[in-house]
Amino acid sequence: MDDYYPNISPIRTGLACKCPRCGGGKLFQGYLTVRERCEVCGLDLRGHDAGDGPAVFLIFILGFLVVPMALWVEMRYMPPLWLHALLWGPVIVGVTLVLLRPLKGLMVALQYRHRSTSQQD
């Protein structure tokens, strides 16, 4: 008999970095390495990989947020170039480290959700 798994939101499970099938197990082993198998439901996660998708989305998000802020700071205060680098470098690295993992989890969960039923188990 097949186990029943509820229809869970891929956005909720992906951003929480949880298993896309059961929503209980951890999706990652380490910072960005997708686990081979969910420790709760046993889902084989080896075929689920987000590729470069999260990095591309992150580039767009950072460009949308940081460029206008940097332009505003430049027009308002006109700091030297080295101060821009000192200010925006850590902002970009910090936002990247915070958002990369949830975005990769979201991409893996969406990939799981939109595969055909025969490919999911």
Side-chain angles (χ1 to χ4, degrees):
M1 181 175 175
D2 290 334
D3 292 328
Y4 171 75
Y5 295 100
N7 197 5
I8 300 174
S9 165
I11 295 172
R12 187 182 62 137
T13 58
L15 293 177
C17 301
K18 298 291 185 180
C19 172
R21 180 165 69 177
C22 69
K26 293 179 182 177
L27 184 61
F28 296 110
Q29 174 181 335
Y31 182 64
L32 285 176
T33 305
V34 178
R35 291 183 179 275
E36 289 191 17
R37 189 167 295 286
C38 173
E39 70 265 9
V40 175
C41 69
L43 174 65
D44 184 9
L45 295 166
R46 287 178 291 188
H48 297 276
D49 186 24
D52 292 334
V56 171
F57 286 125
L58 198 53
I59 289 169
F60 287 129
I61 291 168
L62 283 170
F64 180 76
L65 296 174
V66 173
V67 170
M69 289 189 305
L71 288 173
W72 179 80
V73 168
E74 176 62 30
M75 294 304 202
R76 177 97 167 127
Y77 302 105
M78 293 187 206
L81 206 50
W82 64 267
L83 191 57
H84 274 292
L86 192 65
L87 176 65
W88 301 113
V91 168
I92 291 169
V93 170
V95 172
T96 298
L97 291 175
V98 168
L99 290 182
L100 190 57
R101 190 172 186 196
L103 285 176
K104 184 170 182 175
L106 177 61
M107 295 292 286
V108 169
L110 287 171
Q111 182 184 54
Y112 171 80
R113 175 64 163 268
H114 295 291
R115 283 185 171 192
S116 68
T117 308
S118 64
Q119 293 177 327
Q120 289 183 4
D121 296 319

